[in-house]
Amino acid sequence: MAGPRSVGQDCEAEKGARRVDIRLIRFKEDGESRDFRVTNDRCLIGRQATCDLPIPLSSVSREHCEIFARDGAVYMKDLGSRNGTFRNEERVEGEVQLEPGDRVAIGPIIFTVQIDGDPAEVEPPLMEAPTLTTAKPQSSSGSASAKGGGDDSASELSDLIKQMQSEDSSVFDLDMYLDEDDDES
């Protein structure tokens, strides 16, 4: 496993709050893993180069989601992204608490969440990145709910997502967006 890269936005830690070690682990097609360390209490993920962790793909919104620590726990919040943010194949609506080993999908990129070194060993995900048509919505309480209705726009959106996924199918290396100087062990 290559060394971790640090990403995050400067935020003041709450006095007396325990610092949580958050790492997002991604596997490349060749099986090599990359470990992205969230160094502060908030990490903005999106397509914009100014994001803490930029993913420059058309299926990723400019400011897609954020991962943050609060009161010793780790949370993820979708920021109104067009194609959704997914936790364990369920679409995140609002804010959800992340647990060690959770799989987070942002566009076609899948990360495994490691919190305070747990899980100690991370295996490549066996799942493909979910899409709006394959995932179940997940509310802030963490329960899945079904959406009803036969909306024509949903079909159009599904077609658009499939088109974007085919455009984003090339191999993509997030390392080029992180400074070599941020390498910490």
Side-chain angles (χ1 to χ4, degrees):
M1 179 185 288
R5 304 286 180 174
S6 301
V7 296
Q9 181 180 33
D10 290 333
C11 291
E12 281 189 40
E14 295 177 35
K15 291 189 182 224
R18 180 179 69 81
R19 183 63 113 191
V20 180
D21 180 26
I22 307 167
R23 294 171 192 256
L24 303 176
I25 301 169
R26 175 180 177 259
F27 286 86
K28 295 180 182 181
E29 285 185 5
D30 65 3
E32 181 184 349
S33 67
R34 294 299 297 158
D35 182 353
F36 300 95
R37 183 169 175 241
V38 177
T39 58
N40 295 298
D41 293 333
R42 178 179 179 260
C43 178
L44 179 63
I45 302 170
R47 189 175 70 229
Q48 290 188 131
T50 57
C51 288
D52 300 311
L53 182 53
I55 302 175
L57 299 173
S58 62
S59 59
V60 176
S61 294
R62 288 182 186 101
E63 291 187 350
H64 198 94
C65 67
E66 64 181 347
I67 294 178
F68 57 94
R70 183 176 63 220
D71 300 325
V74 178
Y75 296 87
M76 180 171 62
K77 180 178 182 180
D78 182 81
L79 298 175
S81 65
R82 180 181 64 215
N83 295 317
T85 304
F86 298 87
R87 175 183 158 240
N88 300 330
E89 298 187 52
E90 293 183 351
R91 185 170 184 176
V92 172
E93 293 182 354
E95 176 182 305
V96 295
Q97 185 172 347
L98 295 175
E99 300 294 332
D102 278 350
R103 304 289 183 164
V104 172
I106 302 162
I109 307 298
I110 299 174
F111 295 100
T112 300
V113 178
Q114 186 181 57
I115 302 171
D116 293 331
D118 188 24
E121 295 294 322
V122 177
E123 298 294 323
L126 299 175
M127 64 184 210
E128 297 270 331
T131 66
L132 290 176
T133 58
T134 62
K136 297 171 271 186
Q138 182 174 332
S139 66
S140 58
S141 65
S143 63
S145 63
K147 281 191 172 182
D151 189 359
D152 287 338
S153 63
S155 176
E156 290 173 18
L157 183 58
S158 175
D159 292 341
L160 179 62
I161 292 168
K162 288 176 188 172
Q163 179 184 355
M164 282 189 279
Q165 285 175 330
S166 67
E167 291 172 8
D168 292 341
S169 63
S170 61
V171 176
F172 169 93
D173 189 0
L174 291 173
D175 297 344
M176 64 188 202
Y177 294 95
L178 299 171
D179 293 333
E180 292 295 324
D181 297 330
D182 288 342
D183 213 1
E184 294 181 24
S185 297

